[in-house]
Amino acid sequence: MDKLGHTPIAIKDKTMKSHWLLLTTAALFLSACSSDDLEEELETINFGSDYYKNDYYLLNATDHELDYHIANTQLNGDERDVADDDYYLATLAKDAQQYAITHESNANRKLSLYVAARNVFGPVAQKKVEVEYDHAYHVVAWQNAAQINISLIEQQQDNQDNAYALRIFAAEPIQVSIKGHAFSLDAGELSAFVHGSDCDSDIKIAQKNVDLCTISFNRSYLLVANQQGLKALYTEQ
């Protein structure tokens, strides 16, 4: 006993009780978090080789102003409601420049892509896709008649000196002619790279010359086309 009549064991017991109280409080706090909240946070934690962080370029090749959403599937593989405001990314006007984002996801799990026309009832598109590690992608919203669609296209380049490089994506069935060589594309189909050097006569779409005199040699582009010709043109990053 000390001069005040206290024993050392009493101080130890008080310390243990304080530690127990702190642990109990922490446990109660953790139990208050829903499993959905915890799963949402775990979804983008870095799991080493099972963790993907990719660049995505949002493209609007439609006649509408569009809202873009991306959602990961849950850790158990169930799909989330990608239309929910929690997964909103950006709004792009028609004819807007491409908009770059970075999105985190886990390996071997799908992403849900979603676009919806703003201030217009009805036109929406949704698609589930799988991606590869350390790749860049175009998220292309495109239009066939009144229907909006969405496609994921991996970014690529095939640069050549003294020439421009194009991949042509068809929003509608089209006929294409490259330096007199003709081929057809169905709606939603992407061509291999083609090359040209004359900016206003090498390429015809739906029997119309395509004016490409604003683009540069030794660069690569994605051209979205319909039956009226060139709809949109984007640089491959």
Side-chain angles (χ1 to χ4, degrees):
M1 296 177 63
D2 59 18
K3 292 181 180 180
L4 298 176
H6 297 152
T7 63
I9 191 67
I11 296 174
K12 182 179 180 181
D13 185 60
K14 185 177 180 180
T15 302
M16 292 176 63
K17 287 182 178 179
S18 298
H19 289 169
W20 177 85
L21 180 60
L22 288 172
L23 289 172
T24 303
T25 303
L28 289 172
F29 175 79
L30 289 173
S31 65
C33 297
S34 70
S35 59
D36 288 342
D37 290 340
L38 291 174
E39 184 177 67
E40 186 81 25
E41 292 182 7
L42 284 171
E43 177 182 307
T44 53
I45 287 178
N46 189 337
F47 289 105
S49 61
D50 291 333
Y51 171 79
Y52 289 175
K53 187 173 183 178
N54 291 332
D55 293 329
Y56 298 85
Y57 292 79
L58 311 182
L59 314 180
N60 182 2
T62 76
D63 295 329
H64 301 283
E65 184 178 28
L66 297 179
D67 291 338
Y68 288 72
H69 297 217
I70 295 181
N72 299 339
T73 54
Q74 295 180 358
L75 292 179
N76 60 9
D78 292 338
E79 187 174 0
R80 289 193 170 95
D81 182 6
V82 66
D84 191 280
D85 288 344
D86 288 344
Y87 307 110
Y88 167 81
L89 295 172
T91 299
L92 270 66
K94 69 174 184 177
D95 302 324
Q97 296 294 314
Q98 55 193 354
Y99 184 88
I101 65 158
T102 299
H103 184 79
E104 301 171 352
S105 60
N106 290 320
N108 303 317
R109 302 194 185 280
K110 292 185 177 181
L111 301 179
S112 291
L113 309 177
Y114 174 86
V115 293
R118 177 169 283 230
N119 303 322
V120 179
F121 178 77
V124 299
Q126 182 174 344
K127 187 174 187 177
K128 288 201 294 186
V129 298
E130 293 184 4
V131 297
E132 299 291 333
Y133 173 71
D134 197 24
H135 285 55
Y137 294 92
H138 299 292
V139 180
V140 185
W142 51 281
Q143 187 171 345
N144 185 355
Q147 178 64 46
I148 290 178
N149 302 278
I150 190 165
S151 295
L152 186 75
I153 300 174
E154 184 180 346
Q155 294 222 5
Q156 294 182 6
Q157 295 184 358
D158 191 24
N159 299 341
Q160 293 186 6
D161 293 337
N162 302 316
Y164 54 79
L166 291 175
R167 290 187 296 172
I168 300 171
F169 181 86
E172 298 173 337
I174 56 173
Q175 290 289 325
V176 181
S177 176
I178 309 292
K179 298 179 180 179
H181 172 67
F183 60 93
S184 61
L185 294 171
D186 291 329
E189 188 174 0
L190 177 69
S191 78
F193 273 106
V194 297
H195 299 85
S197 56
D198 192 321
C199 66
D200 60 3
S201 64
D202 275 355
I203 296 181
K204 292 183 178 181
I205 296 174
Q207 299 182 340
K208 303 178 182 70
N209 285 343
V210 177
D211 183 354
L212 298 172
C213 293
T214 60
I215 66 177
S216 302
F217 288 171
N218 198 29
R219 298 293 298 273
S220 298
Y221 301 88
L222 175 69
L223 186 156
V224 180
N226 56 25
Q227 293 176 0
Q228 284 67 54
L230 186 155
K231 175 62 179 174
L233 185 67
Y234 305 100
T235 304
E236 301 275 7
Q237 302 297 325

